[in-house]
Amino acid sequence: MMEDSKPVSPRQIIVMVDDNLTTLNIARNVLREHYETYALPSGTVLFNLLEKITPDLILLDIEMPGISGYEAIKKLKADKRLSAIPVIFLTSRYDENSELEGLSLGAIDYITKPFSPALLLRRIKNHLLIAAQEKELKNFNANLAHNVNEKAKQVIQMQFAILNVVAELVEFRDRKTGGHIARTQQYLDILVRKMRKDHIYLEEISSWDITFLIPSAQLHDVGKIAISDTILNKPGKLTSEEFDIMKTHVIRGIAAIERIEHETHEDSFLYHAKRFAGYHHEKWDGTGYPHGLSGEDIPLQGRLMAIADVYDALISSRPYKDEMPLDVAKSIILDGSGKHFDPTLINVFRDVAEGFEEVAITSRNQGDSFIFKWSPDAI
């Protein structure tokens, strides 16, 4: 019975370049038993050969007619396809300056002639081993980086899933605000893209992790989970006492987000969520809640969400009111400049109001099927 034949690994390729035929013959006789060997008489022939093959190592004489060894290695290192090929100078020059110049040009070794065949073979083997290890390390690092990137994507997807699920729970309980979360995300997306384009609050926005900015807005009303159904879904206007209880959803929302941070030891994807949840009911003139902050003491995320949240409340129907015409809602937002809203952001809103109206109309037409899919590439 015949034994299974093992595949033969391709032999490594060594190219020798020297105008001295005796040196070429000696080196070829030493190396051809171990490597696929090419013996070439000039740099011109070398570069013709390199158009067809890529060797694992080049032995290069310095003093040659036409293209010298120094010129050849400069040309090799300037070519992206060839620059990584190890080069050993094989020369009769003995002076230190020549060796230093060769090494400075990128050669990995400098062997003087006449050479010991055993020493030549050993040094080539060592350098090929080093080159193989460097290649293996490079591949390992590339694979590691790929795996890290894949893991990071999985973590981000998990974090987005957490945001989505919690937001769906909020919207399921607060049945009066169908589509509110999707619409407010899209309003914010419109505002932030315009702000970046026009360099509005650009320094602060540039410091944000955009990956989680818009998705985090889904949690701006997360505290409503803790509000009683009798208040949350009351078919009519709330009493002052009930409204005071409703206002606690802001503090409860912050507490819920901080609990997630504590349990997961991760706060990067909740950084914006806490600010959206905690400050979207503050007002520019200081009459909002829960802290009565004013002006730029209100985090920018809260000032942005205030516009998106109020606009959507105006154009949406509630048990105690009908949906408001879009042009009236726009006028109310504009009139709130300097009182409820940041005047700078209202100027941005004025420029993109048509985009808000398009979102509102699309949502009305699509009903429960209206969704918003966001990508950080959009900003």
Side-chain angles (χ1 to χ4, degrees):
M1 181 180 294
M2 294 181 62
E3 295 183 359
D4 292 338
S5 59
K6 295 182 179 180
V8 178
S9 300
R11 299 210 304 172
Q12 292 174 294
I13 299 173
I14 305 293
V15 173
M16 300 170 294
V17 187
D18 199 315
D19 63 325
N20 187 307
L21 295 182
T22 300
T23 300
L24 283 181
N25 287 331
I26 294 173
R28 180 169 51 192
N29 290 335
V30 172
L31 299 175
R32 64 184 177 183
E33 182 179 346
H34 306 278
Y35 306 104
E36 183 177 346
T37 306
Y38 292 83
L40 310 178
S42 70
T44 301
V45 178
L46 167 66
F47 286 103
N48 289 336
L49 178 67
L50 292 178
E51 293 179 2
K52 303 174 183 178
I53 67 167
T54 302
D56 295 283
L57 186 143
I58 297 174
L59 293 170
L60 187 61
D61 187 21
I62 293 178
E63 295 177 328
M64 295 184 295
I67 301 175
S68 71
Y70 290 155
E71 292 171 340
I73 194 171
K74 289 178 182 178
K75 190 173 179 180
L76 287 168
K77 296 304 177 184
D79 189 321
K80 290 183 179 180
R81 185 178 67 87
L82 307 174
S83 61
I85 301 172
V87 175
I88 297 176
F89 277 125
L90 194 62
T91 179
S92 57
R93 290 188 177 185
Y94 290 92
D95 61 290
E96 182 178 314
N97 290 335
S98 295
E99 183 173 354
L100 286 173
E101 183 174 0
L103 296 175
S104 68
L105 291 173
I108 60 171
D109 207 346
Y110 190 96
I111 300 175
T112 56
K113 298 185 286 187
F115 53 82
S116 160
L119 179 61
L120 175 66
L121 185 61
R122 172 50 57 189
R123 291 172 82 162
I124 288 175
K125 284 184 177 180
N126 287 345
H127 285 300
L128 287 175
L129 177 60
I130 292 171
Q133 291 172 338
E134 289 178 347
K135 183 178 180 180
E136 184 177 353
L137 180 60
K138 183 178 180 180
N139 291 336
F140 174 81
N141 288 334
N143 290 332
L144 180 61
H146 174 75
N147 291 337
V148 169
N149 288 337
E150 287 301 310
K151 186 65 176 178
K153 288 179 182 178
Q154 292 174 11
V155 171
I156 290 174
Q157 289 172 353
M158 179 191 70
Q159 293 169 339
F160 280 174
I162 292 172
L163 294 173
N164 293 339
V165 169
V166 174
E168 287 176 3
L169 288 174
V170 174
E171 196 144 76
F172 176 78
R173 288 204 61 233
D174 192 1
R175 295 188 293 273
K176 299 177 297 185
T177 58
H180 172 71
I181 290 175
R183 289 191 298 273
T184 51
Q185 285 186 90
Q186 196 153 357
Y187 299 146
L188 288 172
D189 180 56
I190 292 169
L191 287 170
V192 174
R193 279 191 283 119
K194 179 63 173 175
M195 290 165 67
R196 287 172 66 93
K197 180 180 179 182
D198 293 350
H199 293 190
I200 306 298
Y201 292 128
L202 184 61
E203 183 176 354
E204 182 169 359
I205 292 177
S206 298
S207 70
W208 289 352
D209 183 350
I210 296 297
T211 304
F212 293 109
L213 176 66
I214 304 301
S216 295
Q218 296 176 93
L219 298 188
H220 73 276
D221 275 338
V222 67
K224 287 184 177 180
I225 290 178
I227 303 299
S228 168
D229 282 342
T230 58
I231 294 176
L232 197 61
N233 292 303
K234 180 180 177 179
K237 198 166 185 178
L238 299 178
T239 66
S240 59
E241 292 80 7
E242 289 170 336
F243 185 59
D244 286 340
I245 294 173
M246 177 64 81
K247 289 194 294 185
T248 65
H249 81 275
V250 175
I251 300 300
R252 293 171 185 265
I254 294 175
I257 293 170
E258 288 179 343
R259 182 174 179 181
I260 297 173
E261 288 178 335
H262 177 73
E263 295 293 334
T264 61
H265 304 288
E266 172 62 63
D267 62 1
S268 60
F269 83 109
L270 296 172
Y271 173 85
H272 300 296
K274 190 188 299 187
R275 285 153 181 79
F276 283 132
Y279 301 100
H280 68 287
H281 285 295
E282 300 287 356
K283 296 182 180 180
W284 186 258
D285 62 7
T287 62
Y289 65 90
H291 304 294
L293 300 178
S294 63
E296 293 189 6
D297 287 340
I298 306 169
L300 182 54
Q301 295 94 328
R303 281 139 55 200
L304 284 164
M305 179 55 77
I307 296 173
D309 191 54
V310 172
Y311 180 87
D312 198 66
L314 293 173
I315 60 98
S316 301
S317 63
R318 296 290 185 267
Y320 53 88
K321 77 172 191 68
D322 294 328
E323 61 188 34
M324 189 173 290
L326 301 182
D327 59 336
V328 176
K330 174 183 174 181
S331 295
I332 291 174
I333 297 295
L334 294 176
D335 288 343
S337 178
K339 294 172 284 188
H340 193 146
F341 308 115
D342 179 344
T344 300
L345 296 183
I346 290 301
N347 289 334
V348 177
F349 170 79
R350 181 180 287 106
D351 292 337
V352 298
E354 288 186 5
F356 274 54
E357 293 171 358
E358 289 175 6
V359 173
I361 292 170
T362 301
S363 177
R364 288 175 181 177
N365 291 338
Q366 295 181 358
D368 292 341
S369 64
F370 178 75
I371 59 173
F372 173 62
K373 292 184 178 180
W374 182 81
S375 168
D377 295 335
I379 293 185

